[in-house]
Amino acid sequence: MVSDVHGNSRDLASAGTGADALLCLGDLVLFLDYADHSRGIFPELFGAANASALVELRTARRFEEARALGRRLWGELDRTGVSRESVIEGAVRKQYAELFAAFPTPTYATYGNVDIPRLWPEYAAAGTTVLDGQRVEIGGRVFGFVGGGLSTPMRTPYEIGDEEFAAKVEAVGEVDVLCSHIPPDVPELCYDTVARRFERGSAALLHAIRTARPRYALFGHVHQPLARRVRIGRTECVNVGHFNATGTPYVMEW
């Protein structure tokens, strides 16, 4: 199982070796690497120095200044006559072509908050099953998948409102393994120790864990969490890791 792949197609190609299936919990796209400011769509367009400035502003939670920087840079690009939408989509498509080609068969995947769901059908091969607010049986256990993130000042591509997200969690129902991109709303699971901020977790996921009591709740999104594992009742809540940085999948055995 992997999450937060962020462009790491090289390690993704071997992530499912020896496994019955690969599960991917989203964030395939690399827009900006907070550890290496030279990597990603943003620095490819605007340079590493501007990427570093953007990271500094976001880390300091100076979101209005970060947006102002973004507007200035995109405005300069717009004046060249190139559409920012076409530039971003072209870069995302290039990454998706490499990443989906690296998925083994079978792969079960859901969206992260930086993904663009409307593009996935063009790249998901027959061996890749995309699920969002849906469930599937794998190896005799029922897995439920809830993709995307909740609304934040970052305004990433696949953020939705709390009610819409909660409806997907409810649609999944009782499962053995609850898979999502974002964590349940538990402070130690939501705090990123490097970015020095709380990411948004889901109250609906936490409610489902407490009431439906799945055996596992698996997720990603927070790259350097204060805690990677927390037990809530009978449920083991696990951040399966920042695959872009580690290149190592989380392995489930039963």
Side-chain angles (χ1 to χ4, degrees):
M1 181 174 297
V2 300
S3 185
D4 300 272
V5 177
H6 293 303
N8 189 353
S9 57
R10 180 191 61 191
D11 293 318
L12 185 62
S14 59
T17 301
D20 294 324
L22 177 70
L23 279 65
C24 178
L25 304 186
D27 270 12
L28 298 182
V29 173
L30 179 61
F31 188 74
L32 175 57
D33 191 328
Y34 276 55
D36 181 351
H37 302 165
S38 68
R39 297 181 64 239
I41 295 172
F42 190 89
E44 287 175 5
L45 292 172
F46 304 119
N50 283 317
S52 295
L54 184 67
V55 169
E56 182 179 346
L57 290 170
R58 285 180 172 179
T59 301
R61 302 187 65 78
R62 293 157 60 185
F63 295 117
E64 285 301 326
E65 293 174 69
R67 282 194 284 272
L69 173 62
R71 284 194 297 269
R72 177 176 66 80
L73 294 172
W74 286 111
E76 293 173 358
L77 182 67
D78 290 341
R79 284 192 287 276
T80 68
V82 178
S83 162
R84 73 182 71 181
E85 290 79 12
S86 65
V87 169
I88 292 175
E89 183 167 318
V92 170
R93 285 181 176 277
K94 180 180 178 181
Q95 291 188 15
Y96 277 167
E98 296 176 356
L99 291 159
F100 278 91
F103 279 146
T105 297
T107 291
Y108 301 88
T110 196
Y111 315 111
N113 61 293
V114 303
D115 286 312
I116 303 178
R118 66 179 175 81
L119 298 181
W120 280 36
E122 297 183 41
Y123 297 95
T128 299
T129 302
V130 180
L131 301 130
D132 188 17
Q134 297 160 292
R135 47 198 277 160
V136 66
E137 184 176 324
I138 307 172
R141 293 193 181 192
V142 178
F143 288 70
F145 291 80
V146 181
L150 295 170
S151 301
T152 72
M154 306 288 275
R155 300 179 182 175
T156 51
Y158 190 40
E159 294 182 351
I160 60 177
D162 291 63
E163 290 186 4
E164 184 179 352
F165 192 93
K168 293 197 296 184
V169 176
E170 185 176 1
V172 163
E174 294 189 6
V175 294
D176 299 305
V177 184
L178 179 58
C179 301
S180 57
H181 177 66
I182 64 173
D185 189 15
V186 177
E188 54 265 47
L189 297 175
C190 295
Y191 187 74
D192 190 307
T193 60
V194 174
R196 301 194 303 277
R197 65 169 181 259
F198 285 98
E199 301 288 354
R200 283 207 66 189
S202 166
L205 287 171
L206 181 58
H207 177 73
I209 289 167
R210 287 173 169 165
T211 56
R213 303 173 69 231
R215 180 66 185 86
Y216 293 96
L218 306 176
F219 49 88
H221 186 56
V222 184
H223 293 177
Q224 297 89 197
L226 184 63
R228 292 199 175 275
R229 305 176 74 100
V230 168
R231 180 174 286 275
I232 300 175
R234 73 182 294 269
T235 304
E236 190 76 15
C237 303
V238 184
N239 185 317
V240 302
H242 180 201
F243 188 75
N244 169 264
T246 68
T248 303
Y250 175 78
V251 178
M252 289 188 68
E253 296 182 359
W254 67 84

